[in-house]
Amino acid sequence: MDATTYTDGLAKLRTLRDDIKKTAAALARLETQRDKTVTTLAAHDKATAERIAPAAGLSIAEVVALAPQLAPQDITAPDPHPAPHAAENSRPDPQPPATPAPDPAPCAPLKQPTDHGAPRDLPTLPQDTDTRRWFTPTSGLVSQYPNFIQQARPTVFLDTATGILVHRDQTVRLDLGDRSAAAILTAVFHTVPDSIQRIYITAGAPWHRDADRYPYLKDAVAAWLNAPTPGWRTDTGRGRDRMAGHFVHARNPVARYQRDNGDHHVEIRSVGEWFDLDDTDHPGIVRDAFRLLWEELRRHFSDAVIMGSPSQTGRDLWTRTIPRRGKHADGFPVLSEELRGLLHATAGQGRNELITPPRVPEQLPALIEYDRTFAYAKHTWKSPIGAPRRITGKAFASWSAKEQHDALYGCGHWHIRVTVPDGWNHIGLLPAPAPGERAWHYPHAPGTTFTTWAGGPEVHAALTNPIQPWKIEIVDGILWEAGKPLDDWSKKLKETWTNLSAQAHFQGDAQQARAAHLASRAVRSILLYGIGSFAQRPRMVTGTTPRTAERDVPPDAEIIGFDDQQITWQRPTGFARDPNAHPEWAAAIWSAARAALLTQYHRDDDTHAGALHTPPGTVVAFRTDAVYLTTPQNWPHRHRPGDYLMKGHLPGPVNAPTSEEELLTLRDTGRHALNSTPEEA
């Protein structure tokens, strides 16, 4: 670049800066005008937040924040809104038991200490008189071995950037025109037979083709999915794995179509659901990866079928490990909808936290990423089963120290009051609700007291941590019998993963090695998203309404996008009658995984690993299964699930990241600097 080009670029940048300031100012004026209009309308005696929200393009909560008088009078229910670790099997020596607390007022929402924004309430268990309904499994809903054989769907692989299509052993190049869904369907079915039911997009992301025209990627995706497709209409679903309509997702949407005559169904999906691809990955490599995946799964699951997504595949494979004789031959009962809702609201997933100055230095001596290999597979050996029982604070207090220890080490979900001990100078240990939907933070300041819910592994880790025990009072709890409903399924997936990882390492052909690596990553996704699917979040329905019929937008809907022609909205519809809904399993695994980020014991090496085994001030961030540090650690890695693998090492000095975007940029730079081998991940 010469000096003239550089100078011109600076001038253009200044112009863009000024335009951004003007646009931001105009937006601020419009938002102010909108907010004033909302407050004016709220004075009407028949005004409701449900009516004003869609007209303003706001959520009901946002309208209520502007006009508190519109708040419903019965806001005591949990938030209905929802987009991959106990250290070892050995039991540590008993520690001082947790202290019970008095039972709370029945169903009283608990206010949480927060730094910014309104506090978020967590639900509580009901009065004793209502306990029977909550703790009785849902009638007629049991996970049982399926009485049908899953049918495979013929599949092709398409790179929409180059037009390369792979169908079995045939490779052709298509003219995809404007890359609309209509153009893709036309081009593909001029080349392959109508028996094809699934089109995997390997590159090109055609649903982002008009992203510059929309404020959010999700809007661009929705427009692409809902564009006219002559000869086709939106699929209404069929079969036992009935999935009707399009699924709007910013990066991995699912388009479902059927011929106008109804005799041909096809879905367009992204392979990004399964694994990340490089720019050099040809659709043929992706085909080989799925072929290897199917062959290896068949070694352990005789009737294995690769379904559209890893979560569908994972759950289907699991159902085929349900015992058909013995203790659990009658299946695994599904919790009441009340308990499923409570777990949904109180059991978070992965720990995602960025620790910024002054808790860490402005200039980091290094940024080192340690990622737990195939982490969730480590924590499936023990899971809650059957109908749970309630353990009140008073009941817990009446137990012996051993009984309390066994309960906290067992399969439980605990309502607790936590106090950070005096003199504490390390990271927070337990999640507390933060402002925002399903947001969590980790209080760490000495003397801080908060009330929350946490799984047994995290409570046990906080009580027995290697630095200083935390004070935890048991307010209430849910306790299950311990069993192994996921153990057989998980072992088979771990063996499949091990075999494919070995192929990736020892395969002499570079393309086949790459295909084996991708297949191993797909196994990881099957287990990771299979576990997530047990959580069974409340269903969200997405719909559109013409702008001319704005009054027809459902009153409980949230506006997620709009243009000159139509309004796009979504609304929760509660829990489906899903016989394989087991949020207690997902919650237990997530809790164990978060605990293992703090501390886990490696028996073979007689050593510990985890964030609490590093000096204070050296932990920079957590991202699900990874911890980012400023100093290297000599943690063992024996290529087993749960082991910490150094994935990135960026030598310092490094400016401490202050946003997720900055952290991810440093992460990628650190991985490149280390020249890590993906086969170990």
Side-chain angles (χ1 to χ4, degrees):
M1 177 183 295
D2 57 27
T4 301
T5 303
Y6 180 71
T7 301
D8 291 344
L10 288 176
K12 182 178 180 180
L13 200 57
R14 294 187 190 99
T15 301
L16 289 171
R17 175 201 63 196
D18 294 340
D19 288 345
I20 290 171
K21 288 183 177 179
K22 292 176 183 177
T23 302
L27 177 61
R29 287 194 297 271
L30 289 172
E31 289 178 337
T32 299
Q33 183 179 352
R34 177 200 62 194
D35 294 349
K36 288 181 178 178
T37 304
V38 168
T39 55
T40 299
L41 293 175
H44 190 269
D45 57 359
K46 294 185 178 180
T48 64
E50 292 84 355
R51 192 81 179 100
I52 293 176
L58 297 172
S59 68
I60 292 176
E62 289 169 325
V63 170
V64 170
L66 293 170
Q69 69 269 31
L70 297 181
Q73 299 303 309
D74 57 350
I75 301 182
T76 57
D79 182 358
H81 295 289
H85 297 42
E88 292 285 345
N89 297 9
S90 61
R91 300 171 76 140
D93 294 334
Q95 299 291 324
T99 305
D103 291 338
C107 296
L110 298 169
K111 299 296 183 182
Q112 307 297 336
T114 56
D115 298 327
H116 303 286
R120 183 163 62 94
D121 299 337
L122 293 180
T124 65
L125 290 172
Q127 300 180 48
D128 290 341
T129 54
D130 295 330
T131 297
R132 180 182 298 276
R133 175 168 57 87
W134 280 57
F135 285 77
T136 300
T138 302
S139 176
L141 213 54
V142 179
S143 302
Q144 294 180 315
Y145 193 96
N147 59 2
F148 65 94
I149 297 175
Q150 194 65 256
Q151 298 298 312
R153 295 191 179 182
T155 301
V156 297
F157 302 89
L158 175 64
D159 182 335
T160 59
T162 63
I164 294 176
L165 174 80
V166 172
H167 172 223
R168 296 184 178 175
D169 294 327
Q170 176 187 9
T171 301
V172 297
R173 187 182 295 273
L174 306 180
D175 179 1
L176 299 178
D178 62 359
R179 297 194 303 151
S180 64
I184 290 173
L185 292 170
T186 299
V188 167
F189 287 108
H190 273 150
T191 307
V192 302
D194 280 358
S195 58
I196 296 300
Q197 297 182 36
R198 183 176 296 133
I199 302 170
Y200 272 126
I201 305 300
T202 65
W207 35 80
H208 293 164
R209 62 178 187 147
D210 293 326
D212 292 343
R213 295 175 48 195
Y214 296 89
Y216 303 105
L217 273 181
K218 211 168 184 180
D219 294 341
V221 171
W224 186 88
L225 291 171
N226 294 315
T229 50
W232 301 82
R233 64 176 185 269
T234 302
D235 199 345
T236 55
R238 72 201 189 287
R240 295 180 181 272
D241 59 335
R242 183 184 182 93
M243 298 291 287
H246 304 313
F247 174 64
V248 181
H249 186 278
R251 301 196 179 276
N252 296 314
V254 181
R256 299 185 179 97
Y257 301 99
Q258 64 183 117
R259 295 277 192 188
D260 282 342
N261 59 16
D263 63 354
H264 181 200
H265 302 255
V266 65
E267 59 183 12
I268 302 175
R269 309 186 74 113
S270 168
V271 295
E273 296 179 86
W274 293 87
F275 37 63
D276 293 329
L277 294 177
D278 295 336
D279 293 338
T280 58
D281 286 326
H282 186 276
I285 292 178
V286 180
R287 172 206 57 200
D288 292 344
F290 276 94
R291 183 179 292 170
L292 283 172
L293 173 64
W294 178 78
E295 290 172 352
E296 286 299 325
L297 286 174
R298 280 277 173 154
R299 297 177 187 272
H300 304 286
F301 302 90
S302 61
D303 48 2
V305 169
I306 297 178
M307 302 179 69
S309 70
S311 61
Q312 290 174 300
T313 306
R315 285 224 302 184
D316 182 69
L317 292 176
W318 172 75
T319 62
R320 297 171 195 283
T321 65
I322 297 174
R324 285 186 278 186
R325 57 180 60 89
K327 182 177 180 181
H328 300 294
D330 293 335
F332 299 100
V334 174
L335 299 178
S336 68
E337 185 166 333
E338 288 84 358
L339 277 190
R340 280 181 279 156
L342 184 141
L343 284 167
H344 169 70
T346 61
Q349 196 170 349
R351 179 169 181 168
N352 289 286
E353 180 184 22
L354 178 62
I355 300 172
T356 57
R359 293 178 61 192
V360 297
E362 296 276 358
Q363 290 280 308
L364 306 180
L367 185 65
I368 306 167
E369 176 190 9
Y370 285 95
D371 187 66
R372 298 186 66 234
T373 300
F374 204 16
Y376 285 3
K378 172 75 173 177
H379 306 293
T380 54
W381 62 274
K382 178 180 71 173
S383 301
I385 57 172
R389 56 193 176 114
R390 181 179 188 175
I391 309 297
T392 65
K394 292 179 181 178
F396 188 88
S398 69
W399 289 353
S400 68
K402 183 180 185 305
E403 288 174 321
Q404 293 181 359
H405 169 270
D406 291 348
L408 293 177
Y409 191 77
C411 295
H413 191 59
W414 300 97
H415 188 191
I416 54 178
R417 187 170 295 115
V418 183
T419 300
V420 182
D422 293 337
W424 184 261
N425 66 344
H426 218 295
I427 57 173
L429 303 188
L430 290 163
E437 295 176 355
R438 296 190 59 76
W440 302 89
H441 65 160
Y442 292 80
H444 66 281
T448 300
T449 297
F450 59 97
T451 305
T452 189
W453 285 84
E458 291 170 283
V459 176
H460 191 272
L463 288 169
T464 63
N465 77 80
I467 301 173
Q468 183 180 3
W470 280 33
K471 181 182 179 182
I472 298 178
E473 305 172 29
I474 300 298
V475 176
D476 218 333
I478 307 167
L479 188 62
W480 288 265
E481 176 188 350
K484 295 181 177 291
L486 304 177
D487 196 43
D488 185 35
W489 172 72
S490 177
K491 284 179 178 176
K492 291 179 177 181
L493 289 177
K494 283 185 280 190
E495 291 171 2
T496 303
W497 172 78
T498 299
N499 293 341
L500 288 168
S501 297
Q503 290 184 47
H505 184 73
F506 294 109
Q507 173 62 252
D509 181 272
Q511 289 195 348
Q512 288 303 301
R514 176 63 177 167
H517 168 66
L518 293 177
S520 73
R521 298 297 290 175
V523 176
R524 175 186 177 276
S525 296
I526 288 173
L527 186 134
L528 177 69
Y529 295 116
I531 289 169
S533 71
F534 287 126
Q536 197 226 18
R537 295 174 176 85
R539 294 176 298 174
M540 296 294 292
V541 172
T542 302
T544 58
T545 300
R547 290 296 295 267
T548 55
E550 187 171 325
R551 295 176 63 89
D552 295 335
V553 173
D556 59 343
E558 177 186 1
I559 306 299
I560 60 174
F562 53 86
D563 55 28
D564 293 339
Q565 283 75 42
Q566 63 185 16
I567 300 168
T568 304
W569 48 264
Q570 67 179 16
R571 64 185 181 92
T573 59
F575 293 99
R577 279 188 60 83
D578 183 352
N580 298 320
H582 291 285
E584 68 276 20
W585 297 349
I589 291 170
W590 293 339
S591 176
R594 291 192 298 269
L597 284 175
L598 303 175
T599 179
Q600 70 173 10
Y601 179 64
H602 292 259
R603 185 184 296 108
D604 291 345
D605 301 275
D606 191 24
T607 189
H608 288 82
L612 290 180
H613 301 279
T614 65
T618 61
V619 179
V620 177
F622 295 95
R623 278 189 62 79
T624 308
D625 301 321
V627 58
Y628 295 79
L629 307 173
T630 62
T631 56
Q633 305 296 317
N634 189 29
W635 293 337
H637 186 268
R638 295 178 177 268
H639 310 279
R640 297 172 180 169
D643 288 356
Y644 280 93
L645 171 70
M646 183 188 288
K647 290 283 292 292
H649 188 165
L650 184 61
V654 178
N655 291 332
T658 58
S659 67
E660 182 182 33
E661 183 180 7
E662 291 179 3
L663 174 66
L664 296 180
T665 299
L666 294 175
R667 178 201 67 181
D668 295 342
T669 306
R671 289 180 178 180
H672 179 74
L674 184 64
N675 193 25
S676 60
T677 54
E679 287 78 6
E680 299 289 353

